[in-house]
Structures are given as structure tokens and as C-alpha cells.
């Protein structure tokens, strides 16, 4: 005989699968277009209102962006149907991992995150600032 | 006597089928484009798994919480009516006092990091839909927040009634996690916590940070100066000040505890250690932290607004 709590847990797990499948099939994510310069600046202004970007770069696929604000790098990258932003010292961009498609920036802190920036192989990383 | 110690049923468990049906209905409304409903698959999975995990965590601490509540009731200072018509008065008093207790708990859970660490996962979604409501805490039982309800038992409210009322409050708060309902009639918006008021609570716009802590009645926020109305010219941006970088359930459940541990290790004095645990979320020793008060003050200075306008 299955203990009632385990039974309840099992049934709940079944419902979870059902609801996740429904959410997936319904295809009703937030409309969130690819980044352009204006969208990136708007995102960063929301999250880092005191930082004024001197220069911005949009990843080749529009799924991420980078900004220089003084000695700080501001990064925005796509997560699901939204974007997540992070800041880090500009000099730390050097630790990004280069891949055939671009660069990856891993954020190891409690909030985590992996920014994937489609970045041309021939383009310098970190990008040159004005 | 035993009937008053243990609720004959768990009202939240009984409500689970309704939760499922309402989520299916909300998704259906979004699919039919009848309401501004947005669901992201992985976000939904994280929310629902956090809900499932919280039921397991709740079972692990239920014995202590239940035992302490029964013990407190055995040491009560009043014998409140629990039979016949006078019970109605007991229920009304409990409804008001439990809702006030919830307000205190909820405010503490936002304004002090030790309790925020357990509550933050409820706010970590960038979405606001009925699945977000089930994004419940895994560590709420271990941070002692349940102690806040013990005075009700000391006062004389039977444990069974307290647990039923807590369940009713939780069930009420489920349906307000939606963008499908715009606003209720004004008299209801004035008295009740509504989808509109709770959207503000889940928003991370500086204007909306740490506002609308209500459970069922919004009157507590109006009374204690924490009310903020939703504005049509400022749509809510949901989530936390620094949103999580993935949909990992364990990260959502524990990231703030991890951050507390990291900050404790970096503390250079007893004061810093105490503030790392019990200070406001976002506190930093150099005074440059992103606490809700600081974020709101800086925003108000930028736009020339009053950071603490009088409650409407």
C-alpha cells in the first residue's frame, strides 16, 4: 500500500507534467524581440540606472549585448522569453571563454547565469573601446 | 479537545484540484488571446517544482510547528468560544488577527535578509501568472517565521482553527497571481488584496519595491504606509532586483542562503556579520548596497518623485 503522502506527491507530479506540457503547447511566451541598441540601453537603464553606457555592442544573433560604462562592463543575455543583466569589471571580460560561435561568460555567483555572445572569430575580445 | 488541536482536513490539499483547473483555464485564456497571459515553459516547470518541493519541506517541519502551536494553546490566556453561534465571533477575530500576522510575517520576509532568503524564491520568476503562486518556500519552516503565529494560540485560538485560517489565506492568495484580471470594483480594491495590488508587490520597479504585503486585506498596507497602487503609466516588471541567470530549481530555492554564507565569510566585524544575516536584503558594508530603501530613494532623486508618498 502506498502511503497517502507519497500518493499525493505522485499525483501532484503528474499534474505538474500536464501543466508544463500545456504551457509548452500553448506557445504563449512574452513577445520579446531580439536586442538592438535601443532595446539594450533600455534594459540596462532599468537595471543599472546609475551607469551610463559609453558604447554598446550587440551580439551577432541579437540574443545578448554588451556595454561599456566607465570601468564596468554591463551584459544582457537572453533567458527564456526575457533577459538577464549582469555587471562586472571591464578587465574581467578577458576571462570569457571563446567558442567557435563566439564567447561565453559564466557568472559563478549565487544568481548564476551564462551569457553566450555570438561574436565573430576575427573580432577582438574584449572589444576595443573608443 | 483533540478536534481543536488538529484540523480534520488540510484545506490547501483540498484546493489543489482547483489550482490545477485555474492554471489550465488561465493558459487557455492566453492561448485564445482572451487575456494578457504569458507562460514560459521552463519558468512554469521551475515554479511548479518549487511548489512540489515546498510540500515535502512542509511535511518535514510540520511536527515541530504543530507541536509548538498545540503547546502554546495549552498555555492560552483566554478560553474563546468554540461552540455554537459565538464561534462566529471567534472566527472573525481570528480572520483579522491571522491576516495581520501574515502582514507582519510578509513584511519581515522582505525587509530582513534571514527571512527574505526563504521567501525570495516566490519572487524569482520574471513572470506573473498562477504558476508563480505555487513558487513556495522550501526553507520557510527552518527560519522560524512560523513562531509569529504562536501568539494566536497563546491568545486562545485553537490550533485547528489557526491552520484552517492559514490555509484559507494561502488559497485566497493563489488566484491574485494573474494578469488576466485587470481591476476589481473600487470598493473591493480598497479593502481586499487584489491581482492589481499583488502585481505591484511582485514588481521590481523602484516605485513598487517592498509594497503591498497584504494577505487577504489590503487595509494593513494602507494603515502602515506600505501601500502603492498599480499605475497604468508604469507597467510592472516582475522578478527580483538582480534576476536569476537560469531556471535551476535548487538555485531558486537556495541562492540567497548561498549569498548570505558568502557575505558571512567576507565579514570583517561582528556588525558586518550580523547585518549580512539580519540586515535588509542588498545591504553592503560600504553603504553602496541596493536595498529597497536605497533603490527607491535614488530613483526618486532621479525622477523628482516622493519615495514615500502618503497612502491612498
Amino acid at each position: 500500500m502506498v502511503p497517502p503522502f507519497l500518493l499525493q506527491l505522485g499525483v501532484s507530479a503528474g499534474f505538474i507534467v500536464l501543466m508544463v506540457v500545456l504551457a509548452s503547447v500553448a506557445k504563449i511566451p512574452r513577445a520579446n524581440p531580439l536586442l538592438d541598441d535601443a532595446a539594450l540601453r533600455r534594459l540596462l537603464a532599468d537595471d543599472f540606472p546609475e551607469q551610463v553606457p559609453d558604447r554598446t555592442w550587440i551580439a551577432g544573433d541579437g540574443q545578448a549585448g554588451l556595454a561599456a560604462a566607465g570601468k564596468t562592463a554591463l551584459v544582457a543575455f537572453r533567458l527564456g522569453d526575457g533577459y538577464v543583466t549582469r555587471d562586472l569589471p571591464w578587465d574581467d571580460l578577458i576571462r570569457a571563454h571563446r567558442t567557435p560561435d563566439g564567447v561565453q561568460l559564466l557568472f559563478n555567483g549565487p544568481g548564476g547565469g551564462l551569457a553566450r555572445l555570438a561574436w565573430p572569430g576575427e573580432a577582438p575580445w574584449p572589444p576595443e573601446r573608443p | 479537545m483533540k478536534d481543536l488541536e488538529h484540523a480534520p482536513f488540510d484545506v490547501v490539499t483540498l484546493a489543489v484540484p482547483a489550482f490545477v483547473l485555474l492554471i489550465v483555464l488561465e493558459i487557455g485564456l492566453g492561448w485564445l488571446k482572451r487575456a494578457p497571459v504569458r507562460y514560459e515553459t521552463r519558468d512554469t516547470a521551475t515554479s511548479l517544482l518549487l511548489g512540489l518541493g515546498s510540500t515535502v519541506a512542509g511535511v518535514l517541519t510540520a511536527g515541530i510547528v504543530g507541536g509548538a502551536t498545540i503547546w502554546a494553546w495549552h498555555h492560552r490566556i483566554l478560553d474563546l468560544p468554540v461552540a455554537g453561534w459565538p464561534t462566529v465571533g471567534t472566527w472573525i477575530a481570528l480572520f483579522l488577527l491571522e491576516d495581520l500576522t501574515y502582514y507582519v510575517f510578509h513584511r519581515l520576509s522582505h525587509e530582513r535578509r534571514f527571512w527574505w532568503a526563504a521567501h525570495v524564491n516566490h519572487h524569482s520568476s520574471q513572470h506573473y501568472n498562477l504558476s508563480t503562486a505555487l513558487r513556495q518556500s522550501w526553507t520557510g519552516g527552518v527560519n522560524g517565521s512560523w513562531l509569529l503565529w504562536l501568539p494566536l494560540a497563546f491568545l486562545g485560538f485553537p490550533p485547528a482553527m489557526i491552520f484552517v485560517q492559514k490555509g484559507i489565506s494561502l488559497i485566497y492568495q493563489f488566484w491574485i497571481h494573474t494578469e488576466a484580471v485587470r481591476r476589481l470594483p473600487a470598493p473591493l480594491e480598497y479593502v481586499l488584496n487584489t491581482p492589481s495590488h499583488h502585481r505591484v508587490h511582485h514588481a521590481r520597479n523602484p516605485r513598487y519595491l517592498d509594497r503591498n504585503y497584504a494577505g487577504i486585506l489590503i487595509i494593513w498596507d494602507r494603515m502602515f504606509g506600505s501601500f502603492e497602487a498599480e499605475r497604468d503609466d508604469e507597467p510592472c516588471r516582475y522578478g527580483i532586483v538582480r534576476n536569476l541567470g537560469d531556471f535551476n530549481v535548487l538555485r531558486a530555492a537556495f541562492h540567497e542562503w548561498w549569498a548570505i554564507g558568502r557575505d558571512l565569510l567576507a565579514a570583517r566585524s561582528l556588525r558586518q556579520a550580523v547585518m549580512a544575516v539580519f540586515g535588509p536584503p542588498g545591504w553592503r558594508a560600504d553603504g553602496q548596497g541596493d536595498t529597497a530603501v536605497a533603490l527607491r530613494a535614488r530613483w526618486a532623486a532621479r525622477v523628482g518623485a516622493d519615495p514615500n508618498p502618503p497612502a491612498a
Side-chain angles (χ1 to χ4, degrees), chain A residues 34-43 55-58 66:
Chain A
L34 300 178
L35 285 180
D36 57 19
D37 185 67
L40 175 63
R41 284 179 184 272
R42 208 166 38 244
L43 260 180
R55 170 85 202 268
T56 61
W57 295 264
I58 304 295
L66 171 71

Side-chain angles (χ1 to χ4, degrees), chain B residues 140-285:
Chain B
V142 297
N143 71 0
S145 56
W146 51 272
L147 291 166
L148 291 168
W149 276 265
L150 287 190
L152 296 177
F154 277 125
L155 206 56
F157 293 103
M161 287 177 75
I162 296 171
F163 290 125
V164 167
Q165 185 55 44
K166 282 181 79 172
I168 289 170
S169 178
L170 196 70
I171 293 168
Y172 178 84
Q173 290 177 58
F174 172 77
W175 81 274
I176 61 178
H177 289 82
T178 184
E179 293 188 292
V181 177
R182 184 89 192 108
R183 287 204 175 87
L184 301 185
L188 295 179
E189 290 283 340
Y190 194 80
V191 176
L192 293 174
N193 193 12
T194 63
S196 174
H197 297 329
H198 207 58
R199 282 194 289 271
V200 165
H201 178 68
H202 274 256
R204 62 196 192 97
N205 315 42
R207 182 197 297 279
Y208 295 151
L209 279 178
D210 281 8
R211 291 291 189 247
N212 300 0
Y213 297 113
I216 298 177
L217 299 173
I218 198 70
I219 57 171
W220 311 118
D221 286 289
R222 295 186 189 277
M223 286 168 63
F224 300 124
S226 51
F227 177 74
E228 186 74 42
E230 184 182 31
R231 295 166 60 117
D232 292 334
D233 63 350
E234 187 165 344
C236 295
R237 291 183 286 112
Y238 303 111
I240 50 181
V241 171
R242 293 283 170 264
N243 280 312
L244 299 183
D246 56 33
F247 295 107
N248 187 318
V249 177
L250 295 177
R251 187 187 303 283
F254 298 112
H255 75 274
E256 190 65 17
W257 292 111
W258 174 4
I260 287 176
R262 179 199 59 189
D263 292 348
L264 266 179
L265 290 174
R268 292 287 169 265
S269 67
L270 180 61
R271 179 177 179 275
Q272 284 187 17
V274 169
M275 290 302 283
V277 180
F278 297 107
W283 179 87
R284 263 176 34 182

Side-chain angles (χ1 to χ4, degrees), chain B residues 3 19 26-27 49 64 70 92 100 103 133 140 151 153 159 197-198 204 216 220 234 273 286 307 312:
Chain B
D3 291 348
F19 293 166
E26 191 187 39
I27 292 173
L49 286 172
I64 295 170
I70 290 169
I92 292 171
L100 176 60
Y103 174 87
H197 297 329
H198 207 58
R204 62 196 192 97
I216 298 177
W220 311 118
E234 187 165 344
D286 62 5

Side-chain angles (χ1 to χ4, degrees), chain A residues 28 30 50 81 86 110-111, chain B residues 39 126-127 243 245 251 302:
Chain A
I28 48 173
R30 192 184 291 126
E50 278 100 23
D81 60 357
R86 294 285 184 264
Chain B
Y39 272 77
Q126 293 195 48
H127 279 266
N243 280 312
R251 187 187 303 283
R302 279 196 308 278

Side-chain angles (χ1 to χ4, degrees), chain A residues 5 8-13 15-32 43 45-50 77-87 106-114, chain B residues 10 13 16-17 19-20 23-24 26-28 30-31 37-42 44-45 48-49 52 55-56 59 126-128 134 204 206 237-238 241-247 251 255-256 258-259 262 290 298-299 302:
Chain A
F5 179 70
Q8 183 190 329
L9 216 57
V11 172
S12 298
F15 279 131
I16 286 174
V17 172
L18 168 76
M19 289 185 283
V20 171
V21 167
L22 270 180
S24 175
V25 169
K27 290 187 169 43
I28 48 173
R30 192 184 291 126
N32 223 340
L43 260 180
D46 282 340
D47 284 7
F48 304 101
E50 278 100 23
F77 58 97
R78 199 170 185 94
L79 178 72
D81 60 357
Y83 287 94
V84 173
T85 60
R86 294 285 184 264
D87 61 337
L106 179 64
F107 296 93
N108 283 316
L114 176 66
Chain B
D10 175 16
T13 302
V16 167
F19 293 166
V20 175
I23 288 175
V24 170
E26 191 187 39
I27 292 173
W31 183 64
V37 173
R38 296 284 171 251
Y39 272 77
E40 205 280 339
T41 307
R42 285 175 294 170
T44 306
L48 299 178
L49 286 172
L52 188 69
T55 62
V56 177
V59 166
Q126 293 195 48
H127 279 266
Y128 188 77
L134 302 180
R204 62 196 192 97
R237 291 183 286 112
Y238 303 111
V241 171
R242 293 283 170 264
N243 280 312
L244 299 183
D246 56 33
F247 295 107
R251 187 187 303 283
H255 75 274
E256 190 65 17
W258 174 4
R262 179 199 59 189
D290 286 340
R298 299 201 304 252
W299 159 78
R302 279 196 308 278

